Amino acid sequence: MNRRAAGLNRFGLTLLGALLLAGGALVLARALGAWGAGPSRERLLTDGLRGFPDDNAWLWPTVAAVAVVAALLGLAWLLAQGRSERVQGLSLEDDRSEGSTRISSSALTAAIEQEVDDFPGVEKSRARLLGTREHPRLVLTVSYGARADLAALRRYVANSAVARLRSALDRESLPTVVRLRLVDSEGPRSLA
């Protein structure tokens, strides 16, 4: 899930939760007599309110239209959850007028994972290409053992592995985030 969708999720769910909480608090306050003993004993739906649908023919079509809109918004929200920032593939040519060569991101990430995994002391690495096809960025998580030379590992990733990937893609730059995790007998700990 991308950051924008996650932010919208948090905002929408917070707003919905606040509205439901406020509505519940108002009904509870009325039932407990916050506005006096009279309103707390009265029915919540008066006779006039119960007869309102019979007197207004437009009510049920309006309720149906609102329900359809709510269902469509829910479906759009559900579909947005499946989208991610992951890049599926990259084109190696800027000018596609004479054809193009496309390489899958899984092939690229598998290559850099294999290269980093071969460094002494590295237990496992995981790479992901995020962003767009025009502006990809690499996120690389490297789990290493206590005997690995951390300084040499960082230099190798930056100056060798990522540089080769940039060269293979024929790109001047490839924004990269490298997360290093020390793996010991107690489990992984994140360091950077």
Side-chain angles (χ1 to χ4, degrees):
M1 179 184 312
N2 64 31
R3 290 180 191 203
R4 183 170 182 254
L8 287 174
N9 279 346
R10 282 191 297 276
F11 174 76
L13 292 174
T14 301
L15 182 64
L16 179 63
L19 290 174
L20 291 174
L21 184 65
L26 286 173
V27 170
L28 182 62
R30 183 180 190 269
L32 293 175
W35 290 281
S40 67
R41 289 191 201 120
E42 294 175 5
R43 290 182 182 176
L44 194 57
L45 295 177
T46 63
D47 291 335
L49 192 56
R50 280 183 280 161
F52 186 78
D54 296 334
D55 298 336
N56 298 289
W58 56 266
L59 180 69
W60 294 118
T62 303
V63 168
V66 169
V68 167
V69 169
L72 290 175
L73 286 173
L75 182 62
W77 175 76
L78 186 62
L79 291 174
Q81 304 312 303
R83 281 189 238 135
S84 72
E85 288 186 291
R86 247 176 218 215
V87 176
Q88 298 300 316
L90 297 174
S91 179
L92 298 180
E93 291 86 15
D94 292 332
D95 182 19
R96 296 182 188 151
S97 62
E98 295 183 22
S100 68
T101 303
R102 189 159 182 239
I103 186 165
S104 72
S105 63
S106 60
L108 294 169
T109 55
I112 196 165
E113 286 171 358
Q114 181 62 46
E115 186 171 352
V116 173
D117 285 348
D118 289 342
F119 189 83
V122 171
E123 300 290 326
K124 180 157 182 53
S125 64
R126 181 171 179 252
R128 293 178 297 152
L129 275 176
L130 304 175
T132 63
R133 290 179 182 158
E134 295 79 24
H135 304 289
R137 65 184 192 278
L138 177 68
V139 176
L140 181 64
T141 304
V142 180
S143 300
Y144 65 95
R147 295 183 185 197
D149 182 356
L150 185 57
L153 174 61
R154 290 179 70 172
R155 279 192 306 274
Y156 177 75
V157 168
N159 300 334
S160 189
V162 174
R164 274 197 277 279
L165 181 62
R166 244 188 0 254
S167 175
L169 293 174
D170 196 26
R171 292 187 179 266
E172 298 264 336
S173 68
L174 179 64
T176 303
V177 173
V178 179
R179 295 182 180 132
L180 299 172
R181 294 169 157 288
L182 175 61
V183 179
D184 59 6
S185 59
E186 298 171 8
R189 287 185 309 205
S190 182
L191 291 180

